[in-house]
Amino acid sequence: MSQKVTVLGSTGSIGRQSLEVIAACGMEAAALAANSSVKLMEEQARRFRPAIAALADEKAAADLRVRLADTNIHVLSGLEGVLEAATISSADAAIAALVGMAGLRPTLAAIREGKRVCLANKETLVCAGPLVLEEAKDYGAKLYPVDSEHSALFQCLEANRDRGEVKRLILTCSGGPFYGRTRAELAGITVEDALKHPNWSMGAKITVDSATLMNKGLEVIEAMHLYRMPVEKISVVVHRESMIHSLVEYCDNAMLAQLGAPDMRLPIQYALTYPKRVPGPSAPLDLWNCGPLTFGAPDLEAFPCLALALEAAKTGGTAGAILNGANEEAVAQFLAGKTGFLDIAAKVEKAMAQVPPVQNPTMQDILDADQAARESVM
């Protein structure tokens, strides 16, 4: 069970909820890192008193340094500052919750210190899965999933550790705010529309990914690496209520499911306390009042991002980095009002067609693929 924790991405949705768990479970925050949210970082630093508070944005870090001048908190800046927070020796665990490709190098840095890494940044495995897992093995780091779906799979797989008996992994998907709409009906979707997730409160980027179903595609690739399963053994089912977080089907056709209220604090806590379970702040699931549970198939025609992710999963190599880089850039354009909702998938498809994938990639190959994909959709 972790006692001192570094939170990478502390001002984001997962980071804020991680700090709630840390406080409720009597843990300490050894270091906090984020991008540029000065005011919130100051509040968090004053409450949790970490040894390090790092902001990637140099200007924001300079402002934070002035704000925290009356404390003994060491304020750091830039990528180097975030990396120092990730590797602080006093922490035995790191929550990797920085958004997107920006989380890859800090996550690897924590892995190379042999820490327990609670992985909320799915892009790390999507872009560099084999490399990350090899590093974890070499440095003796333990990876535990924070995504609710992957935490559910992890818990269900604990019932039988012989992976040869697993028939398939089943990732549940809320379907996002536009479930049931045709492709034609999605043409005029606005940013405001896309940010109205039916069940979860998340950051803007992941909420848009949930609306396009790209988030579920990224999770398929992540599951391939985390559980060493071929994509053919991973299925997606739409489960609107988000009560069942994922399932494992075994070779005898028995299925195990993990249920819980849609509260990210539960998987965050389990990643920090595994193999122990302790009381925490997450909400209980009220089975008497949660209503019927429904299931359906995803519509790959209306939501082609999921199909593109499955294609990248089959291709392997740097295909995941190409998919992710193009998607990050396209979603940023959509959130800025510079492109349409349906254009996100079109831009990703364009990048996948234009940027050739490299098999057995080095870190530089992955970074180059990411950059090329971004440039192809600008």
Side-chain angles (χ1 to χ4, degrees):
M1 180 172 167
S2 302
Q3 296 299 324
K4 292 189 176 182
V5 185
T6 290
V7 184
L8 304 172
S10 66
T11 61
S13 176
I14 295 296
R16 296 194 304 272
Q17 292 177 86
S18 296
L19 289 172
E20 290 180 30
V21 170
I22 288 168
C25 294
M27 302 175 187
E28 296 180 41
L32 304 177
N35 182 31
S36 60
S37 298
V38 178
K39 184 178 179 181
L40 182 52
M41 177 60 87
E42 180 190 4
E43 293 172 1
Q44 292 177 343
R46 289 188 180 279
R47 178 182 176 189
F48 290 92
R49 295 289 169 164
I52 292 174
L55 288 175
D57 184 279
E58 301 279 357
K59 184 177 180 181
D63 186 3
L64 182 66
R65 194 169 288 113
V66 173
R67 289 169 177 254
L68 294 177
D70 62 320
T71 74
N72 60 357
I73 297 169
H74 194 196
V75 177
L76 302 176
S77 62
L79 175 60
E80 291 304 313
V82 174
L83 292 176
E84 189 168 337
T87 56
I88 186 171
S89 60
S90 61
D92 59 312
I95 294 176
L98 288 163
V99 177
M101 188 68 171
L104 175 57
R105 281 180 278 192
T107 302
L108 278 173
I111 286 172
R112 289 168 181 158
E113 293 297 311
K115 298 183 185 297
R116 174 191 292 247
V117 175
C118 305
L119 195 59
N121 172 279
K122 59 180 63 66
E123 294 86 354
T124 291
L125 290 183
V126 168
C127 297
L131 188 152
V132 170
L133 294 177
E134 190 63 30
E135 295 261 309
K137 179 181 176 182
D138 289 346
Y139 289 93
K142 299 295 184 182
L143 300 181
Y144 295 102
V146 166
D147 273 348
S148 61
E149 295 84 356
H150 290 101
S151 178
L153 291 176
F154 177 73
Q155 294 177 66
C156 291
L157 286 167
E158 286 291 290
N160 189 328
R161 300 188 184 187
D162 184 349
R163 297 296 167 83
E165 296 180 357
V166 175
K167 185 176 180 180
R168 62 175 172 153
L169 308 179
I170 304 172
L171 289 162
T172 55
C173 170
S174 72
F178 310 129
Y179 177 69
R181 298 196 194 185
T182 65
R183 185 166 178 78
E185 291 172 330
L186 296 173
I189 293 301
T190 66
V191 172
E192 184 180 10
D193 295 331
L195 293 179
K196 294 177 181 177
H197 195 280
N199 300 330
W200 298 94
S201 176
M202 305 176 292
K205 193 269 181 181
I206 190 173
T207 303
V208 173
D209 282 350
S210 294
T212 65
L213 298 198
M214 177 60 87
N215 187 55
K216 203 54 49 179
L218 298 177
E219 287 177 4
V220 168
I221 300 174
E222 186 179 13
M224 287 175 56
H225 297 304
L226 271 177
Y227 307 114
R228 302 184 187 277
M229 288 284 173
V231 67
E232 292 78 15
K233 285 192 171 186
I234 304 174
S235 300
V236 173
V237 62
V238 176
H239 169 56
R240 295 291 284 162
E241 297 77 24
S242 297
M243 301 296 180
I244 294 176
H245 297 296
S246 278
L247 310 91
V248 174
E249 183 178 21
Y250 288 94
C251 60
D252 59 358
N253 295 324
M255 286 188 183
L256 297 185
Q258 187 265 330
L259 285 74
D263 185 338
M264 281 303 301
R265 293 174 297 181
L266 179 56
I268 292 167
Q269 179 176 314
Y270 195 57
L272 286 170
T273 65
Y274 176 83
K276 294 183 178 180
R277 292 184 184 272
V278 300
S282 61
L285 174 60
D286 183 357
L287 291 173
W288 285 268
N289 295 297
C290 68
L293 303 182
T294 61
F295 306 92
D299 184 346
L300 298 185
E301 182 178 348
F303 301 95
C305 280
L306 176 54
L308 291 169
L310 295 176
E311 179 185 335
K314 293 174 183 176
T315 302
T318 57
I322 297 166
L323 173 88
N324 181 73
N327 181 66
E328 282 192 26
E329 182 60 35
V331 170
Q333 292 174 15
F334 172 68
L335 289 170
K338 297 178 180 179
T339 195
F341 182 78
L342 291 179
D343 294 330
I344 296 172
K347 287 174 178 285
V348 173
E349 185 174 18
K350 175 186 174 185
M352 291 177 66
Q354 289 186 354
V355 183
V358 175
Q359 296 300 323
N360 303 311
T362 64
M363 176 60 77
Q364 191 57 53
D365 291 330
I366 292 165
L367 297 175
D368 290 345
D370 171 75
Q371 184 62 33
R374 293 172 189 273
E375 290 174 356
S376 74
V377 302
M378 288 181 180

